[in-house]
Amino acid sequence: MTGASTYPYEGHVPVLRLGGVLLVTLQGDLYDSTAERLRQDIGETVSDSAITGVVIDLSGVEIVDSFMGRVLSDVAAMTGLLAAQTVVAGMRPAVAITLVELGLTLPGLRTALSTEEALRLLGAEVTALPRDGRARRESP
């Protein structure tokens, strides 16, 4: 099956650590229990590690509901209390429209058009690979 799933995703959402930043990439829709688990995982990881930022990539999410909006808002508030920032990246226009229609302003949550821009907002070093996909070595 290709493309984003239209069925809710149940299970564990992978959280990738890139230095002091957590990268969370959501694909498809999430069950409420999975979103709740994600909120807990992010909170525990931020409090147990030297995390200064969280990037939540929503580019694979086509729709959100009020619960998911609250989860995003809660993550931003929680990470802020734990001295970290949260940036949501790759939000589709339909998702933004839905959040506005639901009246969710998501205070404390920053947005970026791409994951790379989100990492730059957090002050993380972003190194792009050349078009051929191979890393280059620096000459001494």
Side-chain angles (χ1 to χ4, degrees):
M1 185 170 165
T2 59
S5 171
T6 58
Y7 298 101
Y9 175 75
E10 184 173 28
H12 179 74
V13 175
V15 177
L16 178 65
R17 183 172 179 173
L18 303 170
V21 176
L22 295 181
L23 176 60
V24 180
T25 302
L26 302 179
Q27 296 295 317
D29 305 321
L30 300 178
Y31 281 111
D32 289 354
S33 60
T34 306
E36 180 63 35
R37 173 65 190 246
L38 177 63
R39 176 172 38 191
Q40 291 174 356
D41 288 350
I42 291 172
E44 289 172 8
T45 304
V46 169
S47 68
D48 293 343
S49 306
I51 300 298
T52 58
V54 176
V55 175
I56 302 175
D57 180 0
L58 294 181
S59 60
V61 176
E62 294 185 28
I63 59 170
V64 294
D65 60 8
S66 60
F67 180 76
M68 188 61 195
R70 281 195 320 272
V71 167
L72 293 173
S73 181
D74 289 351
V75 166
M78 174 185 55
T79 58
L81 290 171
L82 296 170
Q85 298 178 53
T86 298
V87 180
V88 170
M91 186 181 303
R92 294 172 185 243
V95 170
I97 290 168
T98 301
L99 291 173
V100 170
E101 288 175 347
L102 291 171
L104 299 171
T105 57
L106 307 177
L109 195 63
R110 298 170 71 186
T111 59
L113 295 176
S114 68
T115 302
E116 292 84 6
E117 183 182 333
L119 290 169
R120 277 193 288 278
L121 282 173
L122 293 172
E125 188 174 318
V126 180
T127 305
L129 289 176
R131 289 192 181 266
D132 63 7
R134 289 182 272 163
R136 291 192 180 129
R137 291 190 176 173
E138 298 280 328
S139 301

